[in-house]
Amino acid sequence: MNFWCLEKPLKPQYGGGIVINPEISEGLKGWSKFGDAKLEQRISKDGNKFIVVSDRKALHDSPSQKFYLEKEKFYIISAWLRVSEGKSEITAAFETSTGNIKNAGTVFAQSGCWSMLKGGLVVNASGPAQLHFRSKDATSEVWVDSISLQPFNQDEWKAHQDQNIEKIRKSKVRFQAFDSQGQPLSNANISILAIRSNFPFGVAINKNILNNQAYQSWFSSRFKLTVFENEFKWFSTESSPGREDYSVADALVQFAQRSGAIIRGHNIFWEDPQFNPSWVVNLSPGAFRAAADKRVNSIVSRYRGKLIHWDVVNENLHHNLLESKLGATASALYYRRANQLDGRATPFLNDFNTIEKRNDQTSAPPKYLAKIRELRSQGYRGPLGIGLEGHFDDPDLAYIRASIDLLASARLPIWVTELDVSNRPNQAVFLDQIIREVVSHQAVQGLLIWSAWSPQGCFRMCLTDNNFRNLPTGNVVDRIIRKFEHEGLIVTTDDQGYFETSLFHGDYEAKISHPAVTSSSSVAIKFKVSPTVNQETLNVKLSPLN
């Protein structure tokens, strides 16, 4: 669904949830003023009823409704908004009895059409809170319709995650075992070994792995996906002008290939000036263009066909080094060039705080969608991916889900690219919660943990100690991997030789074990479990060699 601009608002989600008069069909029942403005019900030519806020004097002047929010419940909010003139950034916010303001979601409303705001929040303490809408522009009218606020308790939230995982990540498989004469084999044990999961789940590595056998063994025994912490970055490959050195990056690529791991490319350019080679930042625009052209041609051509993605212009929602040097269309120029040089590697946007922090409006989901539209309007028409870094402190699962829901409207691949949780109480618990939330969302196509090991410590989160023994965070990751791989799964057939189970999508090998089947006559069957349009059950037949 395109939530950007519709002629008429859709019906409220969840029937409005706990909102009184969500469709404004009963006048202003349930609604009051927040601030000092005029509130009225208006009816469009097609009969749609909505609230109009006029004579606004302050940014927070809006319609309001009071709710009692409960601790540890998850709240999903949505609303359709419009302004009388131009465009305006509007945020749904809750003011508590202590005067604290909690932002729940943001939308870029405009005149002439309706835009959907979607957000979420979890509160730390139960109590009354007043929903209202805060606009960046106090001069235009604000129109509001189809408002919804739906609470979920912990069990309901987890049940939704479990149901989604079963629906989007797994399929049913029916096994039938036969003896050498083709008769159904009852009470046969079928051992199932996962070879590769269809959901890419990996971890960042760095140059420390190259001469550390323990690090290599730890990584290779777990992961088939990786990204390099710093070794592809411009400051690593060309610290002095014209003196390129790809030796470490080459060695890491070779290691990953030997391990059977696919690689994300991170990154070609970084918009933050402080993370560029010192000689680059002060170049004149002409010299900067020459250096940037050489950079993209060199690194993308060198690793053509070896990577699945490139973070082309990293963090270009928060920063703008390229644009400050080369003009507003600089990012689009280099996305186009990277795609021309390597059509097999999907170019990605990549930024932080889109799902982590609702108060950072710079990279809020509507801003992310606006950046995508900007790239398209500037002429980049090629493939594109949405990279969500995911550097968390205290996660808000409702906000994560609502944000990804909104980003999914772009119909582009979404990956969580740099997931970590800061070192705090419940770090491992939070990590587990975030991974479950991400994996259970249909729009997310892959996940990388940002915890490359260093003897001096990791960026924000380690999975192991310096002897590669798991920390609690590492135990979380290993549990996820074991779940994806169905580690140690052995099933037993019924009287007709059947057994049915649900397996994660991926490549598998199955083998029969039965007193009537000798090891010399046993045979392993390889099969693939993949999503199907009609969710038919995959049938796998196994029998020993004659």
Side-chain angles (χ1 to χ4, degrees):
M1 173 62 66
N2 185 341
F3 298 143
W4 297 339
C5 197
L6 298 183
E7 183 178 346
K8 184 177 179 179
L10 301 181
K11 292 287 186 180
Q13 291 191 311
Y14 310 109
I18 59 176
V19 172
I20 298 171
N21 191 19
E23 297 184 70
I24 323 303
S25 57
E26 302 178 73
L28 295 178
K29 178 183 176 181
W31 296 97
S32 59
K33 291 191 300 183
F34 191 94
D36 185 16
K38 179 182 176 182
L39 238 62
E40 63 178 304
Q41 182 200 57
R42 199 172 290 177
I43 305 175
S44 63
K45 292 179 180 180
D46 60 7
N48 182 54
K49 300 174 181 179
F50 52 94
I51 294 177
V52 174
V53 191
S54 58
D55 297 333
R56 300 174 61 242
K57 299 176 180 60
L59 301 179
H60 61 247
D61 287 349
S62 72
S64 175
Q65 193 165 137
K66 291 183 179 180
F67 301 93
Y68 187 87
L69 302 184
E70 297 181 58
K71 181 181 179 181
E72 297 183 350
K73 278 195 174 180
F74 303 90
Y75 291 88
I76 296 293
I77 183 171
S78 62
W80 288 83
L81 294 111
R82 181 171 168 172
V83 291
S84 58
E85 298 177 6
K87 296 182 180 180
S88 182
E89 180 181 321
I90 300 178
T91 298
F94 289 85
E95 184 176 67
T96 68
S97 57
T98 60
N100 291 328
I101 304 290
K102 290 183 72 74
N103 295 337
T106 300
V107 70
F108 289 101
Q110 53 190 300
S111 61
C113 61
W114 292 86
S115 300
M116 184 186 187
L117 179 152
K118 187 163 189 180
L121 78 161
V122 178
V123 294
N124 297 324
S126 298
Q130 195 164 6
L131 168 66
H132 60 288
F133 300 91
R134 307 175 76 87
S135 170
K136 285 291 182 72
D137 175 16
T139 62
S140 62
E141 294 179 347
V142 174
W143 302 2
V144 188
D145 197 4
S146 293
I147 310 100
S148 172
L149 183 66
Q150 178 65 33
F152 298 91
N153 62 35
Q154 299 278 339
D155 291 340
E156 290 169 333
W157 197 266
K158 185 176 183 300
H160 182 271
Q161 291 175 331
D162 292 340
Q163 290 164 8
N164 267 15
I165 289 172
E166 284 292 325
K167 180 180 178 181
I168 67 177
R169 306 292 180 204
K170 302 171 78 174
S171 291
K172 288 183 179 179
V173 182
R174 182 188 295 115
F175 297 93
Q176 188 174 22
F178 299 90
D179 63 20
S180 56
Q181 282 73 47
Q183 297 301 309
L185 195 60
S186 63
N187 296 316
N189 290 331
I190 301 173
S191 58
I192 302 168
L193 174 67
I195 300 171
R196 182 183 288 270
S197 170
N198 272 19
F199 183 80
F201 182 67
V203 70
I205 58 174
N206 58 29
K207 62 184 179 182
N208 292 306
I209 204 168
L210 294 175
N211 298 306
N212 190 317
Q213 186 60 51
Y215 192 2
Q216 293 178 14
S217 298
W218 174 85
F219 171 84
S220 299
S221 64
R222 290 166 171 80
F223 300 104
K224 296 298 181 185
L225 167 70
T226 194
V227 63
F228 307 154
E229 186 176 39
N230 292 312
E231 287 75 9
F232 273 157
K233 292 171 183 173
W234 201 352
F235 63 73
S236 294
T237 63
E238 195 179 3
S239 59
S240 301
R243 301 181 65 179
E244 294 181 325
D245 182 359
Y246 288 104
S247 57
V248 176
D250 285 349
L252 280 174
V253 169
Q254 292 162 10
F255 166 75
Q257 290 176 328
R258 288 196 307 271
S259 300
I262 57 176
I263 309 166
R264 288 195 82 248
H266 176 76
N267 52 54
I268 300 174
F269 298 108
W270 199 341
E271 289 271 42
D272 190 340
Q274 68 174 317
F275 295 116
N276 279 271
S278 57
W279 61 270
V280 165
V281 178
N282 295 319
L283 291 175
S284 67
F288 186 93
R289 180 178 291 279
D293 288 351
K294 178 186 174 186
R295 161 69 176 170
V296 67
N297 291 336
S298 175
I299 194 165
V300 179
S301 298
R302 187 179 191 90
Y303 299 110
R304 181 186 294 117
K306 297 179 180 179
L307 312 178
I308 59 168
H309 303 158
W310 265 119
D311 291 334
V312 178
V313 184
N314 193 49
E315 297 178 357
N316 61 355
L317 289 163
H318 280 93
H319 307 286
N320 66 344
L321 175 63
L322 269 66
E323 286 74 16
S324 70
K325 295 285 189 179
L326 306 177
T329 62
S331 285
L333 168 70
Y334 288 109
Y335 275 92
R336 186 162 52 250
R337 184 58 180 151
N339 185 231
Q340 290 168 346
L341 288 167
D342 185 357
R344 293 176 60 185
T346 302
F348 264 67
L349 293 153
N350 193 56
D351 222 306
F352 59 93
N353 284 353
T354 303
I355 58 174
E356 301 99 306
K357 293 184 179 180
R358 64 168 68 86
N359 291 327
D360 185 352
Q361 294 299 305
T362 304
S363 56
K367 288 282 184 70
Y368 209 126
L369 293 173
K371 175 60 73 172
I372 293 168
R373 294 196 295 275
E374 178 184 287
L375 286 174
R376 297 307 195 198
S377 70
Q378 292 171 349
Y380 179 65
R381 298 286 186 267
L384 194 61
I386 294 173
L388 306 172
E389 292 185 13
H391 299 296
F392 286 91
D393 294 320
D394 297 311
D396 186 324
L397 301 187
Y399 186 75
I400 295 171
R401 182 178 298 180
S403 297
I404 298 176
D405 283 346
L406 193 57
L407 292 168
S409 69
R411 301 186 183 278
L412 296 175
I414 297 175
W415 281 55
V416 176
T417 56
E418 304 179 22
L419 176 59
D420 60 25
V421 179
S422 60
N423 189 8
R424 58 185 50 229
N426 296 318
Q427 181 187 42
V429 172
F430 290 159
L431 179 64
D432 185 61
Q433 290 175 347
I434 297 164
I435 293 174
R436 279 183 56 86
E437 188 60 48
V438 167
V439 172
S440 69
H441 202 292
Q442 186 171 8
V444 178
Q445 296 186 10
L447 168 62
L448 276 148
I449 307 294
W450 197 255
S451 58
W453 175 84
S454 169
Q456 291 79 38
C458 308
F459 173 61
R460 295 200 334 156
M461 181 184 80
C462 282
L463 300 180
T464 72
D465 62 18
N466 283 357
N467 294 311
F468 297 95
R469 292 179 301 228
N470 270 3
L471 299 170
T473 49
N475 289 335
V476 167
V477 169
D478 278 359
R479 282 198 303 271
I480 299 294
I481 293 171
R482 287 196 297 269
K483 186 174 291 186
F484 280 144
E485 296 181 349
H486 303 283
E487 183 179 290
L489 178 60
I490 300 176
V491 301
T492 304
T493 60
D494 63 15
D495 291 344
Q496 299 302 312
Y498 283 108
F499 187 89
E500 186 172 292
T501 190
S502 179
L503 298 178
F504 281 97
H505 300 144
D507 297 327
Y508 291 86
E509 184 177 273
K511 192 172 184 180
I512 302 175
S513 175
H514 189 275
V517 179
T518 64
S519 58
S520 61
S521 65
S522 182
V523 61
I525 301 292
K526 291 185 178 180
F527 62 97
K528 179 182 289 287
V529 181
S530 58
T532 57
V533 175
N534 56 5
Q535 293 295 309
E536 289 180 351
T537 301
L538 174 68
N539 292 297
V540 179
K541 295 187 176 182
L542 303 102
S543 59
L545 295 170
N546 290 321

